[in-house]
Amino acid sequence: MSERPSLDERLNRPLSIGGKPVANRLWLAPMAGLGHIAYRRLLDEYGGCGLMFTEMCSAKAVPTENRTVSPVFRWRDEELPRLVCQIVGATPEELIPAARRVEDEGFFGIDINMGCSASGVVKRNSGAALLKDPVAALAAVEAVRKEVSIPLFVKFRTGWTPDVGPAVALAQQFEAAGVDCLVFHPRVAPDKRTRPPAIDHIRVIKEAVSIPVFGNGDVVLPEECLSMLDKTGCDGVSIGRMAMARPWLFAEWTAGFEPSASAFRDYALRLADLLDHYYDPIRALKRYRLFTIYFAANFKYGHSLQTRFLGAKSMADIRAVADEHIKPGMPLTRRPNMNMYSI
């Protein structure tokens, strides 16, 4: 009997999306307010991430956005060959001009958001709201597919009820319409992560289509990543909040990287530097505060650390907190405290 492949062997198997090669099967999930240009540059410094996704970009805004000043639709030229732009919109009229811009700029691919259930997104009939209207969801996908030749992704959830049947039907329709890859988060749209994801639904989606399906949802430890691959047959795993907590996990799980004793302090300070580089002081501080939720969850006394960060009034204050309160040997939790995660 042959040995079971290790996690790194599973994640490093060759993969092609829409005819384009991808470095591996461990990807960064799109995250509003978190997957920005500063974080992605930091992630690239660690390495190991097969594809990165931008944070959610408004399809209405993308056609006229100035990449040098936009807080969201912004990138480094060197990351484009492995960067997918996620757009959110409700109709072909909104999505088509954005898709054209994304292709013209040279992104690896484009992702249509059908997973965000934030009230501001849903009330505009976009994001997860499209799952309530399969006809509109399919029309959006078909319209974008006709306009661009780069790989097309759809990130979506189970739907608005626990029944996976409608998601299966949509997945099959998306494949027929020319979608190249599905990223599936097996939770109902209203669920703010109060219940565990229905991991078996990933298997159901994977078995229903022949295009690659990536699983997403509460993968924290390497054994959980391997378990998702084994139990669902998915083609790879998309990591969200855990990527914010420990960005080196991509290199750790795919290439055996071992973080140093000062890894957490180095991470906190490097992200501060990069946010200062790319954003004005107010935006930099706001985005750093979002990050601290996930960062502080690594520590046994994380609530205290996060409180100190949230009390910072400037990026200089942020650095002072990191310098004074993040030390090698601080008590860590093997599994970050997800009760601290608020978004």
Side-chain angles (χ1 to χ4, degrees):
M1 180 182 293
S2 60
E3 290 187 8
R4 179 192 189 199
S6 62
L7 179 59
D8 63 323
E9 290 172 331
R10 296 287 296 274
L11 293 175
N12 287 312
R13 286 176 177 169
L15 179 69
S16 175
I17 303 293
K20 287 186 174 183
V22 181
N24 66 44
R25 297 167 181 255
L26 190 64
W27 299 352
L28 174 69
M31 292 178 286
L34 296 166
H36 44 69
I37 185 173
Y39 173 79
R40 296 194 312 267
R41 177 170 168 181
L42 180 147
L43 180 58
D44 257 356
E45 291 173 1
Y46 288 104
C49 182
L51 275 184
M52 298 185 294
F53 285 64
T54 68
E55 53 185 317
M56 182 174 61
C57 300
S58 165
K60 286 184 177 180
V62 161
T64 57
E65 283 275 65
N66 180 340
R67 63 172 283 195
T68 63
V69 297
S70 172
V72 177
F73 190 62
R74 195 168 181 183
W75 62 91
R76 297 172 298 123
D77 288 342
E78 56 266 39
E79 67 182 328
L80 283 174
R82 56 192 181 281
L83 183 61
V84 178
C85 182
Q86 187 186 72
I87 59 174
V88 61
T91 65
E93 290 73 23
E94 291 176 6
L95 294 164
I96 286 173
R100 288 172 177 160
R101 172 90 190 267
V102 170
E103 181 169 52
D104 289 346
E105 293 288 2
F107 283 82
F108 177 94
I110 187 166
D111 177 50
I112 301 177
N113 181 319
M114 296 192 191
C116 181
S117 58
S119 59
V121 172
V122 170
K123 73 180 181 182
R124 293 193 292 269
N125 298 316
S126 54
L130 284 170
L131 302 178
K132 295 180 179 179
D133 187 350
V135 173
L138 184 59
V141 165
E142 289 176 335
V144 171
R145 179 72 289 169
K146 289 176 182 177
E147 290 296 323
V148 300
S149 60
I150 57 176
L152 177 59
F153 302 72
V154 175
K155 170 81 182 289
F156 70 125
R157 290 188 180 222
T158 301
W160 290 82
T161 72
D163 179 11
V164 73
V168 169
L170 263 180
Q172 292 172 329
Q173 290 176 309
F174 291 158
E175 178 179 23
V179 170
D180 297 296
C181 182
L182 299 171
V183 180
F184 185 63
H185 186 166
R187 279 189 168 100
V188 294
D191 182 6
K192 302 299 183 183
R193 305 184 186 93
T194 56
R195 301 182 183 91
I199 297 299
D200 192 58
H201 286 178
I202 300 174
R203 177 190 60 78
V204 175
I205 296 294
K206 173 58 188 172
E207 291 177 352
V209 298
S210 60
I211 56 176
V213 173
F214 271 59
N216 172 243
D218 289 8
V219 172
V220 173
L221 303 174
E223 55 265 34
E224 292 171 343
C225 185
L226 189 56
S227 177
M228 179 178 280
L229 292 167
D230 284 342
K231 291 180 178 179
T232 71
C234 65
D235 297 277
V237 176
S238 173
I239 303 289
R241 295 169 295 162
M242 194 61 194
M244 300 307 303
R246 301 173 190 175
W248 49 81
L249 73 80
F250 295 91
E252 197 172 20
W253 296 0
T254 65
F257 173 84
E258 294 185 7
S260 68
S262 63
F264 287 100
R265 179 180 176 276
D266 295 344
Y267 173 26
L269 290 172
R270 179 60 175 155
L271 185 61
D273 288 344
L274 290 171
L275 282 167
D276 261 344
H277 177 74
Y278 288 108
Y279 295 102
D280 63 77
I282 294 174
R283 279 204 173 99
L285 184 60
K286 182 179 179 180
R287 286 175 178 241
Y288 199 96
R289 285 174 172 165
L290 287 176
F291 145 79
T292 63
I293 297 166
Y294 306 96
F295 181 77
N298 284 298
F299 303 97
K300 288 188 176 180
Y301 306 106
H303 286 285
S304 174
L305 179 61
Q306 190 195 4
T307 298
R308 294 181 186 279
F309 274 125
L310 294 181
K313 305 300 183 185
S314 67
M315 293 304 288
D317 290 348
I318 288 288
R319 289 185 179 84
V321 171
D323 276 328
E324 184 175 351
H325 296 285
I326 305 173
K327 305 292 184 183
M330 288 174 63
L332 296 170
T333 59
R334 184 163 188 258
R335 183 183 197 85
N337 180 3
M338 293 200 175
N339 291 327
M340 292 181 65
Y341 291 180
S342 63
I343 58 174

